[in-house]
Amino acid sequence: MASVEERQFHIEPFPGGTPGNQRLVEEGRLPDYDVVGTRPIRHDGTDKVTGRARYGADIKLSGLLQGFVLRSPHAHARIISIDTSKAAEVPGVHAVCTNADMPSATHRAGDLGEGVVDWYHLNQNVLASDKVLYTGHAVAAVAADSVHIAEEAAMLIEVEYEVLPPVLDVRQARTAEAVVLNDDVRTDRQPVGEKGDEPTNVAKHFHYQKGDVDAGFAAAEVVIEREFTTETVHQGYIEPHTATAYWSPDGKITVWTSTQGSFMIRMQVAELLAVPISKVKVVPMEIGGGFGGKIAVYLQPVAAVLSRLSGRPVKLNMDRSNVFDATGPTPGSYMKVKIGVDAKGMITAGEAELLFEAGAFPGSPINPGCMCIFACYNVPNGRIDGYDICVNKPRSNAYRAPGSTHVALATETIVDEICEKLGMCPVEFRMKNAAKEGDERVDGVTYPPIGMWETMKAVELSDHWQSPLEGPHRGRGIASGFWFNFGGNSVVAATVNEDGTVSLIEGSTDIGGTRASVAMQLAEILGIAAEDVTPTVVDTESIGYTDVTGGSRTCHATGLAAIKAAEDIQDQLCQRAAILWDVEADGVEYSDGQIQAVNGSEPRTISFAEISGKLNQTGGPVVGRGSVNADKHGGAFATHIADVEVDPDTGKVQVLRYTAIQDVGTAIHPSYVEGQMQGGVAQGIGWALNEEYHYGDDGRLHNASFLDYRIPTCYDLPDIETIIVEVPNPGHPFGVRGVGEVPIVPPPAAIANAIYHATGVRLRSLPMSPPKVMHELLSNDE
Amino acid sequence: MARQRIISTSINGNPVEVLAAPRQTLLEVLRENLDLIGTKEGCSNGNCGACTVILDGRPVDSCLVLAVEVEGSEVETIEGLASTDGLHVIQDAFLGQAALQCGICTPGFIMSTKALLDENSSPSEGEIRFHLAGNLCRCTGYDKIVRAVEQAAAGEMN
């Protein structure tokens, strides 16, 4: 391949999109596919626009009871006693349960795909018995004829608490004087694998080092060190958590729920209820958003226990305040970061100390935060220390590129400051320092082919970057971001129908169009139309184990499984053609949607549709199987451009124009790739400008509603332009990388940089809400 | 609990009599009593718009309306939009523009869009964004939703 500097690129509209949807094209390297890269109507679309799609709360079963969960009013308290007797006597109540109705749990680690959990902690999070650790922590539950009866009965449950002081700030929580939330937590030092001796709130300490950091900083011309804070934020999916369960007299538990991973729910329910996984069947309903927050169980085991006690199916729904109080969030953080650059503008060293809120129990995304912080650049010398720290907030969960958005705020605003000091264009700086194939990250990983440099090339060529921004109080900022993506386990089974179509079943729950993107990959291999594949997401007893829809893995890994299934079908159809033609199977080939006799036998062809009608006469139906444990997912890089206007009287920041540029490897269904990019940007803008958990000194969450925890509306946002960059991932036949997560990473930093260029004020604390911006503007004037 | 009462109303053009408690919201009665599960619950306090229905020509959050209040009214829900001839032009536009990801907010957006286009058949982008600001979507960033409403408006004019 030519060196990057010699390669020629241009930007053009991505076919089938609106003018704001473009792509970077490298001359002579345009991919050539029939189905991949087109925009068919998604297979589940009609159900979703007609209201027929059934989400978690939409399940109806005969004899169904409704439940209600009683939650803690205190942020931190010891449970002295729970008396449920009055609730149990209410007419219409069929069961009341507490933690005592679940099997006792022990300290063991379980891997949920996007984070590790200790089973004892998960047991305590589902229903507390020892302590409550945040407002909204579940303590008991009731099942009744109606949700209203259940709620009224739950109010009669008497819980005696010994209230303890809450610990809300990570810096305070790690001091020796801090009240310890979990007396079973000891500091786990990684990667060395040593455990501390004393109870502490510091659950984990990750340490990474590369090169000679002190020498690196000594060689620097400019060294900038800054401190940053971010607040706790929520994933904000529109569908609240919900679970329905039936515990049959034969011991079988069936759970209907909306989740990112039905097999992960099966594992957690089985583990917490001490039954084999074969005794649990999880039926995934449509899922109304997750973003990492619908992987761990909350209601599912409780509904199952209530069902066992009542002998009836039980449904539990959270309301919106429960969702904010007790689920989600992604951590607030404190970060201290230092970067050194030499006179030529090359990074010489980086150093970071990162403190992330774990929430009530260990498990923040501190390790990915450590691995992402310098990931966009070739940093020759680096030292990173990251701490996972328990505080009296809900147990934190993955949220779209977990940990990476926090650290990008630090790195990317420091880079902007360095560029200003050096008088260097921020695009030129990033192109010079961009991580490339073969570069080693500070945590020791060496990059495969990646597209960080190409995203900068797209910035340089973009209309947005080339258009001047005029007017007072306006500024433009750019920022880059990284996410690993993931591979993992996926299974697809595909049956050929007599009419030349294929029924595809998969275990990946479809959170944003993956039925379509997985079906399209099978269609491309078989040479049939996307519409000739019918994809269905099935329950845990109808397909093999499949990891969560998370980590930006589904289009990549479940796509790989679909490709394998298609190739299996091709092999079998060639054998059937050989039977029909009475030739050797190795003399038959599948190409361009048809089967051909080759190798000297007389030339014959039969189309996919034709042979589909002859399967029953040639050996029976054909089912293709694809099972993968994918591990070549390739990383994702994004660079965003933001134009803002800052109101000097109110501190309100309006985003005027926004362009998201991202290396996606290959876009299977560009509309849903653009949609992921645009959706990530919207969440990132909310995180940047507005979203935060407000806690009182007593540890109570003050804004547990969509009115007070205000996510962006369409009136707040501009059009979000997209430029898709396609640097193929060699670990996938079509070059697919993950798409979904990285677009949330750059927005806070890009907007912070834009605010600086508009006002001369640097904000290093999220959210950059009007009062905070106003405070900085006024301080700057003094 | 207070005694249930019979509510007579019209839903998607069909006369309906339903027995409901005074405390039940229109959202709860649509979903639980009438099995019209296309209307979604996102927050139950009027902040997200997922439960939008059209009540006597106006878009409302059905979680903020008590069922007893719709006595004698006309209610339109997502289930009434498609006909035996096929999808409504707004539904077609949402599909064509890929204006949904998870889809939980989609019925509410479609009903709000219908209320807008019933009143203003060629809204500007600013009018679309203003009118739909009561409907929250966390997946799409709204861009493709706005494009879909523009397409539906153009289709309705044709």
Side-chain angles (χ1 to χ4, degrees), chain A residues 128-184:
Chain A
S129 65
D130 303 342
K131 282 174 100 181
V132 288
L133 295 169
Y134 52 91
T135 55
H137 198 158
V139 292
V142 179
D145 287 333
S146 82
V147 69
H148 305 297
I149 296 171
E151 179 175 2
E152 285 167 18
M155 295 306 126
L156 300 176
I157 297 173
E158 291 166 2
V159 186
E160 192 186 338
Y161 295 103
E162 176 198 344
V163 178
L164 302 168
V167 183
L168 297 170
D169 181 86
V170 281
R171 280 164 289 180
Q172 179 207 345
R174 76 162 172 174
T175 61
E177 301 76 46
V179 177
V180 172
L181 273 67
N182 299 290
D183 57 16
D184 54 5

Side-chain angles (χ1 to χ4, degrees), chain B residues 40-105:
Chain B
K40 301 301 180 192
E41 176 178 335
C43 70
S44 268
N45 54 13
N47 295 325
C48 79
C51 67
T52 303
V53 300
I54 299 177
L55 177 61
D56 295 329
R58 293 176 54 223
V60 297
D61 292 322
S62 60
C63 69
L64 295 185
V65 177
L66 289 171
V68 291
E69 293 182 273
V70 304
E71 174 74 36
S73 293
E74 293 195 3
V75 180
E76 294 170 67
T77 73
I78 188 72
E79 286 88 353
L81 237 59
S83 70
T84 48
D85 298 332
L87 295 177
H88 189 277
V89 64
I90 300 172
Q91 294 169 315
D92 259 336
F94 270 68
L95 287 183
Q97 293 294 332
L100 59 145
Q101 283 173 34
C102 83
I104 192 91
C105 71

